[in-house]
Amino acid sequence: MKNPIGALNKIFDSRIRLGVMSILIVNDSISFNELKQMLELTDGNLASHLNTLEQAEYLKVQKSFIGKKTNTTYILTDLGRQAFKTHLDALEKMIKSL
Amino acid sequence: MKNPIGALNKIFDSRIRLGVMSILIVNDSISFNELKQMLELTDGNLASHLNTLEQAEYLKVQKSFIGKKTNTTYILTDLGRQAFKTHLDALEKMIKSL
DNA sequence: TCATTTAACTTTGAAAAACAAAGTACTTTT
DNA sequence: AAAAGTACTTTGTTTTTCAAAGTTAAATGA
C-alpha cells in the first residue's frame, strides 16, 4: 500500500495558506486587507504566508490604486490553481479510498 | 464573513496525524508497525504523533499478544471519530461555500 | 546461554515553522 | 502638522517537527 500522505502538498499543511487558497479559488482577486480581516491575522503573519505562496508561484501580486490610495491584491496563478486542486484530490483520495 | 479557518482542528494540521486518522477511520484497529510502514516514519516520530492523538483522547492503545509477541494496536475513540468528521466538514465547507 | 533482533517506546537536541510586535516608507485624512 | 492607514520587513521568541540514539522487555538464533 502506497504512503497515503505522500501526495499532499507541504505548502498546504498550513491552515492559513489553505485559507488563502480557498478564498482565492472563488474570488478572482482579493486585497491584503480583506484577507487580513477574513483570516484574522496580523500584518506580518499574513505577509509572510503570502510570501511563501508567492515564492512557490502559486499567486501573483497586483499593485494598483483605488483613487490615490495604494491597493495590493492577490490572484492565483494557473500553477497555484492546479496545485491546490491536486492537493484536494489527494486529500479526498486519502480519506475515501483506503 | 466568518473566519473560514477557525473551525479547523489544530491537531489535524499535521499531515502525519491526518494520515493516522484517515487510516484508522477505515481500519478498526491497526498496529504500530503497520502505521510505521504505511506512513514511512521513524519509530520516534510516529510514537510522538500517536502520543499527541492519545493525549487528545482521539485514539486508544491496546496492548495484546500475538502468540507470545507483544503487539500494540490503536483504535479511534468516539471523540476522535467525531473530531475528525467535524474537521473534514469544516474543510469541505471552507473550500466549497465561500 | 549468550548474542542478536524486534517491538515500542522515551529522551535529546537540532532545525524549521509560526507568530507577535515593532519598525519602516509612503500616502491620505483631519 | 499630526494622526492614521496600507503593506510590508525585521527581530526575536515560542512552538512544532523530526531524526537519532538510548531504553526495556521479550523472542529468536547460534
Side-chain angles (χ1 to χ4, degrees):
Chain A
M1 190 181 290
K2 253 259 194 76
N3 177 348
I5 64 183
L8 297 175
N9 188 331
K10 283 224 168 104
I11 288 186
F12 303 136
D13 278 1
S14 151
R15 72 218 272 90
I16 291 176
R17 292 192 295 268
L18 243 187
V20 170
M21 293 300 288
S22 71
I23 288 169
L24 278 177
I25 213 109
V26 289
N27 294 90
D28 279 15
S29 100
I30 197 144
S31 72
F32 187 88
N33 268 322
E34 284 171 310
L35 282 174
K36 195 175 92 175
Q37 282 157 26
M38 288 169 94
L39 301 173
E40 296 172 21
L41 300 172
T42 56
D43 288 8
N45 196 7
L46 175 56
S48 78
H49 284 289
L50 287 172
N51 190 52
T52 299
L53 290 170
E54 203 190 341
Q55 293 302 102
E57 295 181 54
Y58 288 175
L59 54 77
K60 263 186 315 200
V61 184
Q62 282 181 323
K63 307 246 180 198
S64 62
F65 290 87
I66 292 183
K68 287 196 177 165
K69 219 160 147 184
T70 71
N71 190 58
T72 307
T73 58
Y74 300 88
I75 60 171
L76 285 190
T77 60
D78 287 342
L79 183 63
R81 197 178 307 276
Q82 200 200 305
F84 192 54
K85 191 177 176 328
T86 301
H87 178 77
L88 294 184
D89 287 350
L91 254 185
E92 206 172 320
K93 217 164 270 167
M94 188 183 81
I95 290 151
K96 299 247 163 86
S97 87
L98 288 162
Chain B
M1 191 179 290
K2 252 253 191 84
N3 178 347
I5 65 184
L8 297 176
N9 188 330
K10 282 224 170 104
I11 288 186
F12 304 136
D13 278 1
S14 151
R15 72 217 273 85
I16 292 177
R17 293 192 294 269
L18 242 187
V20 169
M21 292 300 288
S22 71
I23 288 169
L24 278 177
I25 213 109
V26 289
N27 296 88
D28 279 15
S29 101
I30 197 144
S31 72
F32 186 88
N33 268 320
E34 285 170 310
L35 282 174
K36 197 175 90 178
Q37 282 155 27
M38 289 169 93
L39 300 174
E40 297 171 22
L41 300 172
T42 56
D43 288 7
N45 196 7
L46 175 56
S48 78
H49 283 290
L50 287 172
N51 190 52
T52 299
L53 290 170
E54 204 190 341
Q55 293 301 103
E57 294 180 56
Y58 287 175
L59 55 76
K60 262 184 316 200
V61 183
Q62 280 182 322
K63 307 245 181 200
S64 62
F65 291 87
I66 292 184
K68 285 192 178 171
K69 219 160 145 186
T70 70
N71 191 58
T72 308
T73 59
Y74 301 87
I75 59 170
L76 286 190
T77 60
D78 288 344
L79 183 62
R81 195 179 310 273
Q82 199 199 304
F84 192 54
K85 191 178 176 326
T86 300
H87 178 77
L88 294 183
D89 286 351
L91 254 184
E92 205 173 321
K93 216 163 272 170
M94 189 182 78
I95 290 151
K96 299 247 165 86
S97 87
L98 288 161

